[in-house]
Amino acid sequence: MQSFIDQSVCFIENHQAWAGVVVGLLAFGESLVLIGILLPGTTVLVIVGGLVGAGIVQPLPVLLAAMVGAALGDTVSYFLGKWLGRGVVHKWPLNRYRREIARARLFFHRYGFAAVFVGRFFGPVRATVPLVAGMMGMNRRRFQIANILSAVIWAPSVLSPGWLVAKGAGSLPELDATSLFGMATIAAIALVIIAVVAVKLRGRR
């Protein structure tokens, strides 16, 4: 895993024009059923956020690629669940991950629409909730609304820790492209916190 992380970061540093493509593929894999359980994509994306903060990588292509890749990954997982049906959990290779899928089913049963939105931010269910949503016959339009909105917020959120470290605490950067990226990230994190609180309150009710 560490070798994969090092090679991915090194490639992005040495081939900055391909940064958006690599980030898009990582976000896609991170959201794809089964692959997302095994792929250390989040770690790479956090480091890429640091490259953005350091001015090595342009923020906009990376940010857009992360959003698109994440949304496409969940979409593919959703349609796989819809196509294969509930019995897929008893077949290889998903039968080796019954615990993860059971956890995602419980999460989806409890929160529904909110599970798709918030699930992207929780590692244990991120790669399985979209599959479960498809298996359980969730309305396609409702799924895509939750999917796209969460991808738009998730992308800057996952890149933000590295960006903030690169910029350094206590310093106010100039209002350039990376600074705007940082402010958007902070706003996204605030929205995530609000969403999580809303889900918990709904669960209590």
Side-chain angles (χ1 to χ4, degrees), residues 20 35 40 68 76 95-96 111 113 135 159 168 170-171 173-175 183 198 205:
I35 295 177
V68 172
V76 171
N95 59 359
R96 300 176 58 185
Y111 299 115
F113 177 91
M135 288 166 45
L159 294 166
S171 61
E174 297 178 1
L175 196 61
M183 289 188 290
R205 291 177 183 176

Side-chain angles (χ1 to χ4, degrees), residues 14-196:
N14 296 326
H15 305 84
Q16 296 169 28
W18 288 88
V21 175
V22 175
V23 167
L25 290 173
L26 287 170
F28 176 79
E30 186 78 3
S31 303
L32 196 61
V33 61
L34 190 59
I35 295 177
I37 299 174
L38 306 173
L39 185 71
T42 298
T43 303
V44 179
L45 293 175
V46 170
I47 298 174
V48 171
L51 298 179
V52 172
I56 298 174
V57 174
Q58 291 297 314
L60 190 57
V62 166
L63 188 60
L64 292 177
M67 292 177 184
V68 172
L72 286 177
D74 272 18
T75 299
V76 171
S77 296
Y78 168 81
F79 280 109
L80 281 174
K82 207 170 185 64
W83 176 47
L84 297 173
R86 302 186 184 188
V88 70
V89 298
H90 303 294
K91 299 177 181 178
W92 185 89
L94 289 178
N95 59 359
R96 300 176 58 185
Y97 299 93
R98 289 185 182 179
R99 180 179 300 177
E100 289 81 358
I101 294 176
R103 188 183 297 143
R105 290 183 70 170
L106 179 63
F107 191 60
F108 181 78
H109 270 298
R110 186 169 185 180
Y111 299 115
F113 177 91
V116 178
F117 181 89
V118 180
R120 189 185 298 281
F121 302 90
F122 294 93
V125 296
R126 180 189 301 123
T128 48
V129 165
L131 178 78
V132 169
M135 288 166 45
M136 305 303 291
M138 182 179 183
N139 177 271
R140 185 182 306 177
R141 182 178 179 184
R142 283 173 56 80
F143 172 81
Q144 288 295 9
I145 291 173
N147 174 31
I148 294 171
L149 286 177
S150 64
V152 169
I153 296 175
W154 174 83
S157 298
V158 76
L159 294 166
S160 64
W163 183 89
L164 292 171
V165 169
K167 283 298 182 184
S171 61
L172 289 175
E174 297 178 1
L175 196 61
D176 54 9
T178 55
S179 302
L180 292 173
F181 168 81
M183 289 188 290
T185 295
I186 294 170
I189 293 174
L191 287 173
V192 171
I193 294 172
I194 293 171
V196 171

